[in-house]
Amino acid sequence: MKHLLSTRDLDRATAVSILDIAEDMARTADREVRKLPTLRGKTVVNLFFEDSTRTRLSFESAAKRLSADVITFSAKGSSVSKGESLKDTAQTLQAMGADAIVVRHHGSGAAHLLAHAGWIDAHVLNAGDGTHEHPTQALLDAFTMRQRRYGADSRERDLAGMRVVIVGDVVHSRVARSNVWLLSTLGAEVHLVAPRTLLPSGVETWPVTVHEHLEPALALGPDVVMMLRIQQERMHAAFFPSGREYAREWGLTAERFALLGPDTMVMHPGPMNRGLEISSAAADSSASTVLAQVTNGVFIRMAVLYLLVAGSSEERA
Amino acid sequence: MTARIVLHDADITRALRRIAHEVLESRRGDGRLVFLGIPTRGTVLAERIQRIVDEIEPGTSSVGSLDITLYRDDLARTPTRAPAPTRIPDEGIDDAIVVLVDDVLYSGRTVRAALDALADHGRPRAVRLAVLVDRGHRELPIRADFVGKNLPSSMSERVSVRLADVDGVEEVTIEP
Amino acid sequence: MTGLLIRGATLLGETREDIRIRGGRIAATGRLTPELDERVIDADGLVALPGLVDLHTHLREPGGEASETVLTGTRAAAAGGFTAVFAMANTSPVADTAGVVEQVHALGLQHGYATVRPIGAVTVGLEGERLSEIGAMARSRASVRVFSDDGRCVHDALLMRRALEYVATFDGVIAQHAQEPRLTEGAQMNEGALSGELGLAGWPAVAEESIIARDVLLAQHTGARLHVCHLSTAGSVEVIRWAKARGIAVTAEVTPHHLLLTEDLARGYDARFKVNPPLRRDDDVRALREALADGTIDIVATDHAPHPAEAKECTWAEAAFGMVGLESAVPVLQTTMIETGMLGWEDLARVMSSAPAAIGRLDGYADPLTEGAPANVTLVDPAARRTWSTDDLRGRSRNTPYTGVELAGTIVATVHGGVATVLDGDLRPADEVVAAWAGLREDARG
Ligand SMILES: [Zn+2]
């Protein structure tokens, strides 16, 4: 694998093998020595044009556990915020010997551009591009689902037979896009729930079932309910009238949560707006995988970094 | 030219039995034995040797596997491979006599990686090395304690170990 | 040499004739014998067209000289077979006063590669609030007849109504960039399944069609002329067809790129394919070709929009809208319309020369290639084919969407008012063109 830009590019076998490698990485976490020498001498650059401490820390910690040298460029206070172009920044990083660039950018397609514009030959790992994709988030979500469902027996399994309901601001959500492609590749049955204003155009061509109201989707007895983060400013752009109305219609309220089956997982990519898309009753329950998602994020990122960076140099044509 | 069989299934069984006995003889005192196979075929061989040992001295040994993929020093020169699981017996390896088991000993780099990996899991009393075939051409100061068969070979030759559990047939071949 | 003789050209793709050019005019056509003081152009196998007229060019001067100037833009025009271009008003300062339009007009006269007719801004600073000095621009030496806020839409209905009425007073026309601004906030590409997948904000067809529908009704109500820039959707074609059937005085244009390219090109996030209005779907391309063939769409205009490399070498959302198109216009039209049998060369001459000249009130293009007409001639080699590259560009910017695409046809020669600006497939040097114009003025005085 040269780059990880989109979960659309992953076939079932590759996706399952990433999850399996993440299992191996997870094993190392309980050892006396957690660090692996795998990427010794390699340089991983975190290039963050968008503030996201959580994702940045997760990637940093993954790269360090694999013994890579880690350089972090954050937009704030560096040249990238002073109008230096993505191209110039990337070429600077290349000159510094970056083997892989983990990029988060507010523009959709930024990672794709870095990988394919011919500016650099480092491996590119998309850590979230605009409203396009966030592939490692989807992978860690899938990993979390598989682990909850199968435990120690997870290896080599996909998500066939699992029913996943994704609720909220799909149109602006890179997490939703990456999850839709990945989960359906892994055999899960994916349902989207949102008012029409928050559904992307062409959603009818996606491998999903679309619902405009939450109750009918919850009545299907989903294995997973994934609540997407709602940005407060959306209501000013007439996507919905008010936070109160949104919470009432599409929020995972305590009442709705109480109707879920005992094994249903409640997921959220974080950070959560309690009282808006998710109630505290749901967020703090044992059904919630929010903390497991954070832990698993490191393992998934270790697995992906391993696959991208440790590979043979001949692949880097 | 075709491959020449240098060990038949009966030869392999005999070699493993001999190794098991040698391991037991070499154990001085009451040290606990942990056989750790290097995936894929080393794991199978470790399980077989431990089974023999357990028949002779029940309950004094255990078996697991030690993946070394993430410790290789030639990662950048080979296609990326998915790691195989590492299984360390519940008792751990601290103060045990660890016997690393692999199918072929060649450059010694795999064993070096295995020693690195082992160090991240604990501190054994001693580490021994058992291999089914030693084909020479070492690049590191490493030698095996227990050898099924010494098979001097040219570097251009190809030595293949096939085991029934993995490959459906049981043989060691050499081909030009 | 005081004259030119074009030998053996196929006039408008019909009859084989020679064309004699003297003193800036067509002196004779038919079977002619070369004279001693003539430069002879062997046009065997070439198609002779009238000089082409582009009603929609961004020359960028003043203010945007890093991407194009009047000189570089008219050189690109000549290389593409154009002898006249209408220069859009979104310069810096905006062409909203007589002073700016006269400056641009004069630069065109000075260089001589093509006639430059400035387009005046409809509203001051393109801000869509107050009418600019339309009368002053109309009466200036630039004699502006086309007014446009292109790049922006005159979206305020009352302002649009007043503009239509007021411009009509000066025999002008409003060229509307039809884009409902609220429906296209942050818009990046055609709205559809692909924009949803790529996570790029959609530019819905309805944002174009709703403005066109409103504007044709306003044109009907006011009785004024309306010109609609760069139609991009099948729905827009339907609205124009309906309006024309009702006798509304509306004309419509399509760009070469909307006749060839589709939104799928956005998939690689290569900003060379980012343009406004955006590339649409196959169905739209088909509808636009049919509308151009049946006359619903009156003209082809390039919307030549040069940008410096850094405006395109960035993420899609940060990149500028627009592509250059003067040099590639005829090859794209030959590829999409002539070779598909949808247009003949005579039709091409209409949609790329006489019709845009008529809309822009540009004299001298009504009876081209006839004795006594101004000598604006373009020679095309229809048999040539080439894989397009940035080496084929003659302007200052490189943002062509056609690199690597095989296109039919090439411009062999361009004659602007009797002066050869392109010969043997390449531009004549600037000093030669300037000297030839000076010589013509001498002759006219003498
Ligand atoms: Zn426009």
Side-chain angles (χ1 to χ4, degrees), chain B residues 66-96:
Chain B
L66 181 67
D67 184 63
I68 53 102
T69 313
L70 301 169
Y71 292 83
R72 297 184 71 97
D73 63 1
D74 58 352
L75 276 173
R77 282 187 295 275
T78 53
T80 315
R81 61 185 89 179
T86 288
R87 286 181 288 106
I88 303 290
D90 291 342
E91 314 87 74
I93 59 169
D94 285 353
D95 290 324

Side-chain angles (χ1 to χ4, degrees), chain C residues 350-376:
Chain C
R350 169 172 48 80
V351 300
M352 293 187 76
S353 181
S354 59
I359 293 167
R361 300 295 192 246
L362 173 67
D363 292 336
Y365 287 83
D367 296 302
L369 306 180
T370 54
E371 265 183 52
N376 297 309

Side-chain angles (χ1 to χ4, degrees), chain C residues 259-278:
Chain C
L259 291 171
L260 180 62
L261 309 176
T262 58
E263 63 169 1
D264 306 308
L265 292 163
R267 197 172 268 292
Y269 294 99
D270 182 341
R272 282 184 305 131
F273 302 111
K274 179 175 174 179
V275 66
N276 193 12

Side-chain angles (χ1 to χ4, degrees), chain A residues 87 108 112-113 131-132 177 201, chain C residues 192 196-197 199 268-269 313-314:
Chain A
K87 180 183 177 181
S108 298
H112 185 100
L113 200 63
T131 55
H132 177 224
R177 277 176 187 73
S201 53
Chain C
E197 177 198 322
Y269 294 99
E313 285 183 336
C314 51

